[in-house]
Amino acid sequence: MSHDILNAFTRREFVRSGLVLASASVMLPSFITRSALAMAPKNGLTSIAGVPDERVLVVIQLSGGNDGLNTVIPYMDGAYAKARPSIGLKADKVLKLSKSDVAFHASMSGAADLYNDGMLSVIQGVGYPNPNRSHFKSMDIWHTADTTASGDGWLGRYFDSECCGFGKGESGTAERTIKKDANPQVGIAIGREAPLAMKGRVIIPISFESADLFRWTGRDVNEKLGDPYARIAAAEAGASIDPDSNAGFLTRTALDAQVSSATIRKAVATKARVNYPDGELSRQLQMVASMIAAGLKTRVYYVSLGGFDTHSGQGNENGRHANLLRFFSGALRAFYADLKAQGNDERVLTMSFSEFGRRVGQNASGGTDHGTAAPMFLAGPMVKPGVLNPHPSLTDLDQGDLKYTVDFRTVYASVLEKWLKTDSKAILDGVYKPADVLKTV
Amino acid sequence: MQPTISTRNDAPAALPNRISDTLATLNPKSFGFEEARHLLWRAGFGGTASQVNTLVGWGMNKSVDYLVDYEKVVWDKRDPQFRSDIMGPPTAEQRKEAEAARRMANGVDKETALAKIRVMRQNAEQDDRAQMREVQHWWLTRMIESPRPLEEKLTLLWHGHFATSYRTVEDSFHMLKQNQFLRKNAAGNFGDLLFGIIRDPAMIAYLDNNDSRKNRPNENLARELMELFSLGVGNYSEKDIKEGARALTGFTFRDDSFAFERNNHDPNPKSILGRSGPMDGDDFVKLILEKRECAQFVATKLYRFFVNDFPCGRKPLDDAAKRVIGEMASQLMGGRYELRPVLKRLFTSQHFYEMSLRNEQIKSPTQLVVGAVRTLNTPVRDLSRVCDAMGRMGQDIFFPPSVKGWDGGRAWINTATMFVRQNIMVFLLTGKRPEGKDPLANEDRFDTSAMLAQLRDAYPDMSDNNPSATLDAILRFTIGRTQPAGRAELDRFMASQRGKDPATSITELLLLITAMPEYQLC
């Protein structure tokens, strides 16, 4: 297949692009790509890579409520040691940060390296008004960017607004006319189910726990079934089925699925370019790095690490929470080393969040209970590096909890406006002044 | 590789010139295997070949009566006992303990006392989540086993219509009670459903009406009652919502039952939907039911659930649907919202059996898995795994994504759910799990012989040395058409199976068929 038949990739076109022919041709039997080609819409034919500034956002979700106060530590504040007699880190254990009165947890040497390389920004005291302390509810609030936790996901709305031009609350029955042209790989979530954050009305992301599961398992019953399975899909795709019928729609999606499966599984089967530390998040980020290396037309990747609900025995410089932070920060450092080795680091912005922080005072079980505001991290060469704002007061509290100083939606607004170059108002259903967290890019 | 063009069983090409657009009755003589199969899929979850044949023998009218008047079908399945007390309000003793803990001076002792209470609460929540999963399994089993498929199918319709999620309600017993209420009234009177739902504890909790106060009415229930349950957007004003919310004040629940709190109810005159008076929630519902828009809204819902997406974006079908929905709405209005007569008329209409509407509805995840078990008679194998797959396909029953329920139709389908759909079929047919482990030795083997024997009754051409006729029959039964575009590949597969164990061959054939796009349709 020659490239001249394919339109150049443009930013507005990215979700609208059709079947992913370009990357598929190298690994699929030719009859499939032929049928895919036959089915593709005549104009606005599928996209192809090649634009160097194609931007990617990676979201890392820390599930369970990360203890922000033991992550970015105001170790010089006497109130910290007082609130945390046994789980607090002593000043000689923390990783001090240049030009800052806060420090990283002892196990976060990976994040400290990124910090020293000017690749990490720390935004403190991020939250929202009237914080909700339920895991579900607060997570939904972060996912919908709506304090009533209702509506579609914020990234889903971004996809929808890019492909179909409507934002939150606007009606759109575009499903039937646009979905057939939507790039099925625009959002990829590693996990059991696509997160609410990525679910829109039109675009629904791909999700899989491991690429091995993103495939038809009939061939495990008998590998000889693989060929007829692929040929049937190709025959169906090549047949004259009314494209407006549900049968036509299903046929296109089934072929999309096969092509995406082949593309993704091929991508993640490549050998790692750098060493990643152990851990689930490392595994996920390594897959993401491989997909980026393979040139997938994906805008947003979503990964997550659970276990942050440390009600008891969370430890101090060692222990459960320390391990989680080591996984997180080590995986992030390896991820950027990998991206740099590929020459893709400048294309990739990473953002981490958790549904809430934890209470300032430790509890009787050597842990911490559900709290409110906590730090967010942004990583990549495009971030404004450093600790960007002061830590919220440890003494002026709201029922034992930190008062938030930065609304998380201002960070989303910055990501949308400055990185993804889109109008955040329609997507966030309100005007949020973008937080000053990214270099002018 | 163009398939040969046949009139009835080809993949849908262009739409025919004429599409029946009335509820005029189908000539009962036209009611054959394919029509009976269609009826069973839409008014239920599909049936075995022998069930389809039974309906053919009965003829259309008797079949429809049997399905719709389901209460005459005796089913004495005992339901398991579920606990009502897991999430109940705290006992007097627990309250005293909590109060004492709160009054203690700050310090380790207080923390310990509070932690103890928290742990108790967390344990209760954990038990309740476990019970919710049991209730989920119970309903799925009912759908699979019930001899009254329409009863369960309608319950599913109303569950999506009056969508309530456990995620917010957090009380499995209230979710169960709502499900039983919906089932009891499923084919009865829509008015009863509406009067009942504003008294339903799960719904009241879900839409915050228990937080509604006389002087601070919560508008959530009033809004959704009109927007999503009865009238639809554009048929009421914001003022109707505000006034309606006042009418609904005091509608709350205590323990597991509805309670009217008189001192929380606003007794002053309101003005709703053009009428004035000191109305309460029941008066509000009465006003709604008088509106033609309500009948129109309900008719559209029934049509979309049983016939086709509307609008579907194909003009001839949309035009026909509009007229049919109008007729259904008139009948609902004239019949005071009795549902059975409308359902019977729909299921015996020419329009319902219109060729271009058959095998053109995307199966919901529930329809897919329940239908697979009921038609092919596969083992269920593992309810947790099946429910888990339903969640991945987008339909976790008792956990609808919002009060809007499930969008349905094409929203079910994307590249990720497509594999889940194909792979749950692999699991049901063979026990093979996506993570690649071998099925346990003691797992049931799917038995193809009953299906084949039943198909032979319907299609006498079938025989072991006529693989093409066998394939014809299986395709007619599974996807409703014999000439899908992949037919040549399936013929080739059949030819390659000569001399092999027929049970294995047929199972593998079904793996290929259930992975085809057409299998997602009914």
Side-chain angles (χ1 to χ4, degrees):
Chain A
M1 180 170 45
S2 67
H3 282 188
D4 55 4
I5 56 164
L6 301 166
N7 291 350
F9 184 80
T10 68
R11 195 168 277 134
R12 289 296 296 186
E13 284 291 324
F14 80 99
V15 228
R16 215 176 275 142
S17 58
L19 296 157
V20 187
L21 310 180
S23 41
S25 60
V26 295
M27 69 211 59
L28 278 178
S30 61
F31 57 79
I32 285 196
T33 50
R34 265 207 311 280
S35 353
L37 194 58
M39 287 177 66
K42 292 215 169 39
N43 40 23
L45 194 62
T46 196
S47 63
I48 185 153
V51 178
D53 70 344
E54 239 180 81
R55 290 178 176 180
V56 174
L57 170 68
V58 178
V59 178
I60 302 178
Q61 172 177 308
L62 306 177
S63 307
N66 177 34
D67 182 12
L69 204 50
N70 265 15
T71 305
V72 179
I73 304 173
Y75 66 101
M76 293 160 84
D77 190 334
Y80 170 74
K82 213 171 136 202
R84 303 193 152 194
S86 73
I87 66 162
L89 273 75
K90 306 281 178 286
D92 61 344
K93 298 285 192 212
V94 298
L95 300 175
K96 299 190 175 86
L97 301 174
S98 58
K99 290 182 261 175
S100 176
D101 57 357
V102 292
F104 282 163
H105 187 282
S107 67
M108 289 173 65
S109 59
D113 286 350
L114 288 169
Y115 182 92
N116 292 330
D117 290 344
M119 300 253 288
L120 193 69
S121 86
V122 182
I123 312 150
Q124 310 203 76
V126 189
Y128 54 88
N130 304 317
N132 194 302
R133 289 166 184 80
S134 144
H135 288 292
F136 281 152
K137 194 84 175 177
S138 195
M139 193 56 99
D140 286 357
I141 287 170
W142 279 82
H143 280 225
T144 55
D146 181 319
T147 48
T148 66
S150 59
D152 303 313
W154 71 286
L155 294 164
R157 294 200 299 268
Y158 158 64
F159 298 146
D160 281 353
S161 89
E162 289 297 296
C163 85
C164 328
F166 55 84
K168 187 175 199 276
E170 294 174 57
S171 61
T173 49
E175 185 188 313
R176 286 181 185 83
T177 48
I178 290 171
K179 203 165 179 178
K180 64 183 172 193
D181 295 320
N183 172 4
Q185 295 166 10
V186 68
I188 295 182
I190 315 282
R192 184 186 172 278
E193 257 184 277
L196 172 61
M198 287 177 113
K199 285 186 183 156
R201 259 167 299 167
V202 180
I203 301 293
I204 293 161
I206 291 175
S207 60
F208 48 84
E209 277 155 290
S210 73
D212 245 18
L213 301 183
F214 189 59
R215 56 193 276 279
W216 184 57
T217 52
R219 52 166 72 77
D220 298 348
V221 175
N222 181 350
E223 59 182 331
K224 288 193 181 131
L225 293 173
D227 278 350
Y229 169 78
R231 278 200 298 266
I232 289 170
E236 301 257 334
S240 55
I241 298 174
D242 181 348
D244 292 330
S245 67
N246 281 337
F249 166 79
L250 281 159
T251 302
R252 283 192 300 277
T253 312
L255 191 70
D256 268 1
Q258 272 200 51
V259 173
S260 295
S261 165
T263 310
I264 288 168
R265 286 188 305 118
K266 165 114 199 253
V268 303
T270 53
K271 213 165 151 266
R273 291 142 298 266
V274 302
N275 282 328
Y276 279 78
D278 287 342
E280 174 58 21
L281 189 63
S282 275
R283 187 187 69 82
Q284 296 183 24
L285 284 175
Q286 188 177 340
M287 275 162 62
V288 171
S290 299
M291 290 188 273
I292 291 170
L296 262 65
K297 301 270 113 340
T298 302
R299 272 300 151 131
V300 182
Y301 293 95
Y302 203 103
V303 298
S304 58
L305 177 65
F308 286 90
D309 196 19
T310 49
H311 282 286
S312 60
Q314 77 173 60
N316 40 35
E317 65 267 22
N318 295 306
R320 265 173 70 202
H321 190 240
N323 291 337
L324 289 166
L325 292 176
R326 184 179 307 107
F327 292 145
F328 164 67
S329 103
L332 192 60
R333 173 173 53 190
F335 181 54
Y336 272 93
D338 191 344
L339 292 173
K340 201 170 167 72
Q342 302 172 15
N344 278 325
D345 53 332
E346 303 208 330
R347 287 179 49 212
V348 183
L349 168 66
T350 301
M351 178 184 97
S352 78
F353 79 98
S354 189
E355 69 266 41
F356 40 62
R358 308 192 77 83
R359 311 210 85 184
V360 173
Q362 70 178 74
N363 65 24
S365 329
T368 45
D369 298 323
H370 301 180
T372 53
M376 281 179 83
F377 294 102
L378 291 178
M382 72 298 289
V383 305
K384 272 218 163 123
V387 178
L388 300 185
N389 60 338
H391 197 281
S393 167
L394 294 186
T395 47
D396 177 19
L397 300 176
D398 178 8
Q399 300 169 50
D401 279 318
L402 298 173
K403 291 179 178 171
Y404 83 102
T405 53
V406 175
D407 190 310
F408 71 97
R409 288 163 294 188
T410 64
V411 180
Y412 287 3
S414 188
V415 169
L416 289 166
E417 299 265 347
K418 287 193 165 179
W419 185 244
L420 298 172
K421 295 283 183 192
T422 189
D423 180 9
S424 68
K425 283 190 284 294
I427 293 166
L428 297 179
D429 195 25
V431 179
Y432 294 94
K433 188 171 178 285
D436 189 15
V437 292
L438 297 172
K439 289 176 187 161
T440 313
V441 281
Chain B
M1 185 167 22
Q2 287 296 325
T4 50
I5 304 300
S6 83
T7 47
R8 284 170 73 85
N9 289 307
D10 194 10
L15 288 172
N17 294 327
R18 209 192 146 274
I19 291 162
S20 168
D21 62 357
T22 72
L23 289 174
T25 311
L26 180 80
N27 181 349
K29 282 185 192 139
S30 310
F31 189 79
F33 187 89
E34 287 166 27
E35 287 72 19
R37 176 185 172 277
H38 173 69
L39 175 65
L40 267 178
W41 268 109
R42 298 298 182 89
F45 304 93
T48 61
S50 106
Q51 287 165 346
V52 176
N53 281 330
T54 303
L55 262 55
V56 176
W58 285 351
M60 176 172 75
N61 289 321
K62 185 177 171 189
S63 299
V64 169
D65 285 349
Y66 184 86
L67 283 165
V68 177
D69 295 328
Y70 54 73
E71 273 157 356
K72 293 181 187 155
V73 180
V74 180
W75 192 35
D76 48 9
K77 188 179 167 73
R78 269 264 200 66
D79 285 337
Q81 286 292 313
F82 291 106
R83 284 176 61 190
S84 62
D85 59 342
I86 303 178
M87 296 304 285
T91 60
E93 204 171 312
Q94 287 166 330
R95 264 201 303 273
K96 224 183 278 169
E97 211 171 311
E99 193 51 42
R102 268 193 290 277
R103 267 198 237 116
M104 288 163 83
N106 285 344
V108 175
D109 286 352
K110 180 178 185 171
E111 286 288 345
T112 311
L114 287 174
K116 191 184 151 207
I117 292 164
R118 195 173 48 232
V119 166
M120 275 175 58
R121 179 80 193 164
Q122 280 167 355
N123 286 345
E125 284 170 359
Q126 206 170 349
D127 289 350
D128 196 58
R129 282 197 289 271
Q131 174 160 292
M132 190 66 247
R133 289 297 165 194
E134 283 171 37
V135 173
Q136 207 178 26
H137 293 180
W138 161 78
W139 188 17
L140 186 61
T141 306
R142 276 193 78 97
M143 290 194 269
I144 288 169
E145 294 180 357
S146 175
R148 307 160 156 192
L150 182 61
E151 180 181 43
E152 297 307 319
K153 187 125 185 199
L154 281 163
T155 306
L156 184 62
L157 164 69
W158 300 126
H159 174 45
H161 183 82
F162 299 110
T164 306
S165 172
Y166 176 73
R167 200 166 154 143
T168 303
V169 174
E170 292 186 314
D171 187 320
S172 59
F173 193 70
H174 289 178
M175 295 300 292
L176 171 72
K177 281 197 60 156
Q178 185 189 71
N179 185 264
Q180 286 166 333
F181 158 72
L182 297 175
R183 181 173 295 100
K184 188 157 171 278
N185 293 280
N189 187 289
F190 180 74
D192 291 343
L193 282 164
L194 219 47
F195 284 116
I197 208 69
I198 61 169
R199 296 160 173 270
D200 176 66
M203 180 60 81
I204 288 169
Y206 188 56
L207 294 181
D208 310 312
N209 216 61
N210 50 340
D211 291 335
S212 195
R213 297 286 173 271
K214 192 174 183 171
N215 302 316
R216 212 166 20 84
N218 186 305
E219 295 174 9
N220 219 356
L221 180 58
R223 177 185 302 279
E224 306 309 3
L225 180 62
M226 291 191 284
E227 179 182 332
L228 297 171
F229 303 161
S230 66
L231 295 174
V233 180
N235 296 315
Y236 55 87
S237 67
E238 285 296 308
K239 181 159 179 282
D240 292 328
I241 294 173
K242 288 203 161 54
E243 300 280 290
R246 290 176 51 215
L248 285 166
T249 49
F251 275 55
T252 185
F253 64 93
R254 209 165 297 133
D255 296 341
D256 300 322
S257 308
F258 171 74
F260 179 68
E261 283 181 356
R262 191 164 300 283
N263 55 0
N264 233 331
H265 177 69
D266 178 349
N268 297 313
K270 297 120 192 145
S271 162
I272 309 173
L273 297 167
R275 299 274 188 85
S276 300
M279 294 176 281
D280 67 9
D282 290 340
D283 300 317
F284 184 17
V285 167
K286 273 180 213 145
L287 283 182
I288 289 173
L289 290 169
E290 284 171 20
K291 293 281 197 186
R292 162 89 194 183
E293 288 85 353
C294 177
Q296 185 78 23
F297 189 78
V298 176
T300 307
K301 197 76 174 217
L302 292 172
Y303 185 89
R304 292 191 58 165
F305 191 75
F306 288 110
V307 186
N308 196 30
D309 265 354
F310 172 79
C312 75
R314 302 165 90 194
K315 196 164 182 305
L317 291 178
D318 283 346
D319 290 348
K322 218 175 282 172
R323 282 188 282 274
V324 168
I325 290 169
E327 270 191 68
M328 290 168 71
S330 297
Q331 193 181 358
L332 273 172
M333 250 349 233
R336 295 171 171 274
Y337 289 98
E338 282 298 319
L339 294 164
R340 280 202 168 83
V342 181
L343 292 172
K344 284 189 182 176
R345 186 139 166 246
L346 180 66
F347 295 149
T348 52
S349 70
Q350 289 172 19
H351 182 80
F352 180 74
Y353 294 97
E354 185 60 52
M355 196 63 65
S356 46
L357 294 171
R358 292 193 214 163
N359 303 309
E360 183 51 14
Q361 187 180 47
I362 294 178
K363 291 172 186 167
S364 67
T366 308
Q367 185 82 350
L368 178 76
V369 296
V370 175
V373 177
R374 291 192 73 127
T375 57
L376 303 173
N377 214 1
T378 70
V380 182
R381 296 182 192 279
D382 180 346
L383 281 169
S384 302
R385 183 167 282 271
V386 173
C387 278
D388 181 73
M390 285 166 63
R392 290 172 197 239
M393 292 184 277
Q395 193 171 37
D396 206 1
I397 49 174
F398 293 106
F399 294 76
S402 75
V403 65
K404 285 207 308 280
W406 291 281
D407 291 341
R410 293 188 186 186
W412 293 127
I413 303 295
N414 60 63
T415 50
T417 60
M418 201 62 140
F419 282 121
V420 185
R421 281 174 173 255
Q422 295 175 340
N423 292 346
I424 191 65
M425 290 306 306
V426 175
F427 177 69
L428 290 173
L429 287 166
T430 69
K432 190 62 123 183
R433 300 180 156 110
E435 62 267 28
K437 278 182 212 144
D438 282 315
L440 297 172
N442 61 0
E443 265 178 322
D444 300 335
R445 198 175 146 92
F446 166 55
D447 180 9
T448 56
S449 58
M451 179 189 79
L452 291 174
Q454 292 172 13
L455 281 176
R456 256 179 228 120
D457 291 341
Y459 298 103
D461 293 357
M462 265 176 71
S463 75
D464 288 344
N465 39 25
N466 188 351
S468 178
T470 303
L471 185 54
D472 269 355
I474 292 175
L475 285 173
R476 256 199 200 106
F477 175 59
T478 50
I479 63 169
R481 55 176 68 109
T482 57
Q483 296 296 331
R487 170 71 197 234
E489 287 300 331
L490 293 171
D491 278 322
R492 198 183 311 185
F493 174 80
M494 289 298 272
S496 74
Q497 296 298 301
R498 231 170 277 256
K500 295 194 179 153
D501 166 34
T504 307
S505 295
I506 296 296
T507 303
E508 292 186 354
L509 173 69
L510 287 172
L511 290 176
L512 292 173
I513 291 174
T514 55
M516 287 164 61
E518 286 91 340
Y519 191 73
Q520 307 307 327
L521 295 167
C522 71

